[in-house]
Amino acid sequence: MNSDNSSPIIYPRTFESKIGFDNVRGMVETHCESTLAREHVRDMCFSADAGKVRMLLEEVTEMMRAQAEEPPLPLDNVVDTAPWLTAIRVPGTFMDVTELCQLRSWLRTAVDVRAFFDRHVSENSGQSSLPRLHAIAGSIEGARPVTDAINGILTDHDEVKDSASAELREIRRQLAAIGGRINSAMRRVVADAVRDGILDPDVSPAMRDGRLVIPVAPMNKRRIPGIVHDESASGKTYFIEPAEVVELNNRQRELEIEERREIVRILVATADVIRPFVDPLLDTCAVLGYLDFVRAKARFAVASNASMPHLSDMPEIEWYTARHPVLEASLARHNRTIVPLEIHLTTEKRILVISGPNAGGKSVTLKTVGIIQYMMQCGLLPTLYENSHMGIFDTLLADIGDDQSIEDDLSTYSSHLRNMNFFLRHGGCRSLMLIDEFG
């Protein structure tokens, strides 16, 4: 038997799909808010390290308490900011306005999360009531200079402030003035055209390629001096930029280009402020993503009525009201209830033989045992009552279902023999073996 806790044996390679754990991954993933958390769900793996398993389960139980509080842990905005932060490592690069807005909101979340856990530290003892999660959140960096830099250039409505620079303020002043002149000129042109019968009274200017134009019928298109910019799909309307506003529109376009150039300069300067904080912010991003992952596991535990059992470092099975979470959820959708299991194995009575008719639930029982043990050693709270006792296995071996192999030219019976051979070579006193239709 392989006794190396760092290299547990799971057999066969399709173990997760055989017991239904691939569906459990999907169920946990639906509770994630961030891409980082979803990556953690996909990376969940079986561990035979009793200390690590206990730590992972305690994180989930603490998160359940944190989520049950009012208000709960504030993890509402846990977007993955790592790509943006990594991108601005290069001098001269910048984050766009949308990214800065999301980064600002994300930083508020980081500060709120850190404050949430700090509030759970006792003034008398200095100990946290959520020690596992507090230790994780201890490295969160709020980076106040970054928030101040973003607030200095963005409004509460996520727009670049006029006051972000003196140059931007002047450009926008000129834009406002030129816009007023364009509107006045267009009103005169339209009024004259309505008076001369060229336009209907209800016609109003439109925008084409960023230029203010007038919709005109084809028969009148030469009666308004200007530039034809477009025509409607039906060909019944031409869009003309009156000659009186061409130069004004040109100047407006120039100012808009100057405005964009100045905003880019401001964003580059803001990135220069953020750049020294990239590494601690990336660490914070990883922490928030992990907390989101733990919260997803806690949400799944609540949804599936899972509990923290009594844990032992040695193999132990004393389970009460054990349920297969995927089967239970499937039955619930059809207004049916699952039949829970109670299983008790000891070092003296370590073999359980189940007999009965076809469709009697024998295979489901095996899969239930497999998935609950596998969930627990992957850091998910198991779906059984909290008075249950669970231990750690180094090896999980399953021979469930038909493993007939066309590629290896193995019959169903031959595949059973191959599996039994593997079990004999790798099984031991810390192994959990699930064998279907042994005879």
Side-chain angles (χ1 to χ4, degrees):
M1 183 192 77
N2 186 338
S3 60
D4 181 3
N5 283 0
S6 62
S7 303
I9 296 177
I10 306 297
Y11 181 86
R13 59 181 178 80
T14 56
F15 183 89
E16 288 195 3
S17 61
K18 280 184 174 293
I19 62 173
F21 188 78
D22 48 354
N23 292 318
V24 168
R25 280 190 199 274
M27 293 165 73
V28 177
E29 194 170 332
T30 61
H31 295 291
C32 296
E33 299 292 339
S34 65
T35 55
L36 284 174
R38 285 187 280 273
E39 289 173 4
H40 280 298
V41 172
R42 295 172 196 138
D43 292 340
M44 276 193 307
C45 61
F46 180 90
S47 174
D49 184 332
K52 178 181 178 181
V53 171
R54 186 181 299 274
M55 177 192 71
L56 293 175
L57 297 179
E58 287 175 352
E59 288 175 359
V60 180
T61 57
E62 287 185 9
M63 183 62 76
M64 291 172 71
R65 296 206 307 271
Q67 287 296 294
E69 292 187 12
E70 191 58 46
L73 177 65
L75 272 176
D76 296 330
N77 182 36
V78 284
V79 294
D80 183 8
T81 58
W84 314 330
L85 292 168
T86 303
I88 64 167
R89 286 188 185 276
V90 180
T93 57
F94 61 91
M95 297 170 66
D96 64 31
V97 172
T98 300
E99 292 168 347
L100 282 176
C101 294
Q102 291 185 294
L103 178 62
R104 176 169 63 178
S105 180
W106 175 83
L107 283 168
R108 290 173 185 155
T109 296
V111 171
D112 291 343
V113 168
R114 178 64 184 268
F116 177 91
F117 288 113
D118 288 346
R119 288 196 299 271
H120 286 75
V121 177
S122 170
E123 293 183 2
N124 297 327
S125 66
Q127 300 297 313
S128 172
S129 60
L130 302 170
R132 295 289 189 191
L133 297 183
H134 187 268
I136 295 170
S139 62
I140 288 178
E141 171 62 69
R144 184 57 184 267
V146 174
T147 300
D148 290 343
I150 297 174
N151 287 336
I153 67 167
L154 297 184
T155 68
D156 291 338
H157 301 293
D158 298 339
E159 297 174 345
V160 179
K161 294 179 177 179
D162 293 349
S163 59
S165 75
E167 292 82 356
L168 185 61
R169 186 196 304 274
E170 176 57 23
I171 291 170
R172 287 182 171 174
R173 186 194 66 77
Q174 293 184 42
L175 273 170
I178 204 76
R181 292 174 62 189
I182 290 172
N183 288 332
S184 296
M186 289 295 286
R187 283 196 297 269
R188 287 196 305 271
V189 172
V190 170
D192 291 344
V194 170
R195 183 194 62 215
D196 296 339
I198 299 173
L199 296 177
D200 294 330
D202 59 348
V203 169
S204 58
M207 293 294 294
R208 282 296 185 276
D209 298 325
R211 317 277 292 197
L212 205 55
V213 296
I214 299 174
V216 181
M219 67 184 73
N220 294 322
K221 68 178 182 179
R222 300 193 184 280
R223 297 180 63 185
I224 296 181
I227 300 172
V228 176
H229 277 277
D230 198 3
E231 67 174 315
S232 64
S234 64
K236 295 181 179 180
T237 304
Y238 282 78
F239 297 93
I240 298 175
E241 180 183 13
E244 293 183 37
V245 299
V246 170
E247 285 305 315
L248 293 174
N249 275 335
N250 287 343
R251 179 55 183 155
Q252 183 181 52
R253 180 63 65 85
E254 291 171 359
L255 288 169
E256 289 170 350
I257 293 172
E258 291 178 22
E259 179 188 33
R260 287 196 295 271
R261 187 183 300 119
E262 178 59 18
I263 287 175
V264 168
R265 189 196 67 76
I266 292 168
L267 295 178
V268 170
T270 303
D272 292 340
V273 176
I274 298 174
R275 193 166 294 113
F277 297 91
V278 164
D279 286 336
L281 289 178
L282 286 173
D283 291 340
T284 294
C285 184
V287 169
L288 292 181
Y290 184 76
L291 289 173
D292 183 26
F293 164 58
V294 178
R295 182 179 61 175
K297 293 197 289 184
R299 287 173 167 175
F300 170 74
V302 172
S304 59
N305 196 25
S307 303
M308 179 71 162
H310 299 281
L311 295 178
S312 170
D313 294 350
M314 298 300 294
E316 184 175 5
I317 292 181
E318 184 183 339
W319 298 357
Y320 301 99
T321 319
R323 293 108 47 218
H324 194 298
V326 179
L327 177 60
E328 185 172 34
S330 176
L331 291 173
R333 288 193 293 269
H334 297 88
N335 296 318
R336 297 169 60 192
T337 57
I338 197 168
V339 177
L341 305 176
E342 293 191 2
I343 302 175
H344 186 198
L345 297 178
T346 67
T347 53
E348 293 76 23
K349 297 180 179 180
R350 55 192 176 87
I351 298 177
L352 176 63
V353 178
I354 305 174
S355 63
N358 290 338
K362 300 185 299 297
S363 296
V364 170
T365 298
L366 289 174
K367 292 179 180 180
T368 300
V369 173
I371 198 168
I372 288 179
Q373 189 66 43
Y374 195 77
M375 283 171 58
M376 190 272 284
Q377 291 191 234
C378 284
L380 291 171
L381 290 180
T383 47
L384 36 63
Y385 276 10
E386 60 185 9
N387 62 335
S388 300
H389 293 253
M390 297 189 71
I392 299 296
F393 290 88
D394 289 347
T395 309
L396 297 189
L397 307 170
D399 180 28
I400 303 174
D402 185 356
D403 271 339
Q404 182 171 344
S405 172
I406 296 176
E407 292 181 2
D408 298 332
D409 193 26
L410 292 177
S411 66
T412 300
Y413 184 66
S414 296
S415 70
H416 277 303
L417 293 180
R418 178 193 60 186
N419 292 340
M420 294 307 101
N421 181 45
F422 188 92
F423 286 19
L424 289 172
R425 286 188 291 112
H426 296 278
C429 62
R430 296 177 65 95
S431 299
L432 176 62
M433 300 183 184
L434 307 170
I435 306 173
D436 197 13
E437 301 188 2
F438 189 45

